[in-house]
Amino acid sequence: AERLKEWYMLIFGETDLSGRELAVRITELNEPGSEQMCCLASSLISLHDSRYSIEEYLKENMQKTAPNLTNIAGYLLGARLLSMAGSVERLASMPSSTVQVLGASNALFKHLRGKAPSPKHGLIYRHPLINSAPKKLRGKIARALASKISLAARYDCYSGDVNKDLLSELEKKVANIRKQATSPETPPSLG
């Protein structure tokens, strides 16, 4: 999309459009010599449409397959976690520490060789609670999120019931972590 926009701006000048809107506009061009640009634009439109249909499919089916996991992680992150784990059963059998670093295998092996610090998160970094948190709190929030994801996967695998309390418990835990980080530390008593 960026290259298409650059190409368009080289020939036709500045534009405020980008992404799919620009691609649609380019496909409507009847300028001589713009056939290749139109071809790239139509390919971009079909990629956008494919992504949209896949996201709709995931949105529909993740709620049926793993409703608790979807409530905690969202349908995209939940699908990625299930993909990395292999199935709901395998994700449910993983300890939360493994869920926390799922997708960070390169960083984990670097750490095990002694060449890097331990990874604080893997795929779950994409969750808004983690990627919007201050850097010093991400590890604690990732640990809390991973534990709730593990519980959600276990509910989905073994009971099938939707537990609406998981999300509120997670939000309370994260709020408590943030509150402890912002409150001034009280000095220990000498007494």
Side-chain angles (χ1 to χ4, degrees):
E2 290 174 12
R3 290 193 179 165
L4 183 64
K5 183 173 183 174
E6 289 173 6
W7 194 1
Y8 180 85
M9 287 175 18
L10 280 172
I11 298 171
F12 300 106
E14 290 291 320
T15 182
D16 293 336
L17 299 175
S18 63
R20 193 177 197 292
E21 296 85 23
L22 180 62
V24 169
R25 184 173 196 186
I26 291 172
T27 57
E28 296 168 353
L29 289 176
N30 286 328
E31 300 289 325
S34 65
E35 295 85 21
Q36 294 299 320
M37 194 183 323
C38 289
C39 182
L40 179 61
S42 62
S43 296
L44 185 66
I45 291 170
S46 69
L47 285 173
H48 274 279
D49 293 344
S50 295
R51 180 181 175 143
Y52 178 75
S53 68
I54 290 170
E55 283 185 8
E56 288 301 312
Y57 172 80
L58 284 176
K59 196 181 292 185
E60 221 174 87
N61 289 308
M62 279 298 292
Q63 202 57 254
K64 294 175 189 172
T65 306
N68 290 299
L69 178 62
T70 305
N71 289 341
I72 295 292
Y75 64 94
L76 286 176
L77 180 57
R80 284 191 176 110
L81 287 167
L82 287 178
S83 172
M84 290 292 292
S87 66
V88 176
E89 292 83 15
R90 290 200 50 204
L91 185 64
S93 67
M94 289 181 179
S96 60
S97 60
T98 302
V99 172
Q100 182 177 347
V101 294
L102 199 62
S105 55
N106 289 342
L108 182 62
F109 290 126
K110 272 187 185 176
H111 166 68
L112 293 175
R113 286 193 303 263
K115 298 181 179 183
S118 63
K120 305 286 185 257
H121 39 67
L123 279 176
I124 63 172
Y125 176 76
R126 296 172 185 242
H127 196 281
L129 288 176
I130 296 176
N131 66 23
S132 66
K135 194 169 186 165
K136 66 179 183 176
L137 298 180
R138 287 182 189 159
K140 289 182 181 181
I141 294 173
R143 197 166 34 254
L145 177 64
S147 70
K148 291 301 176 188
I149 287 173
S150 292
L151 280 174
R154 290 173 188 149
Y155 272 107
D156 290 334
C157 181
Y158 301 119
S159 78
D161 297 333
V162 176
N163 186 343
K164 297 186 186 288
D165 296 336
L166 286 175
L167 185 59
S168 62
E169 290 171 8
L170 175 64
E171 289 169 349
K172 286 177 189 173
K173 179 92 172 172
V174 170
N176 192 22
I177 291 169
R178 289 177 189 255
K179 186 174 126 182
Q180 286 178 352
T182 58
S183 67
E185 294 185 28
T186 56
S189 62
L190 298 174

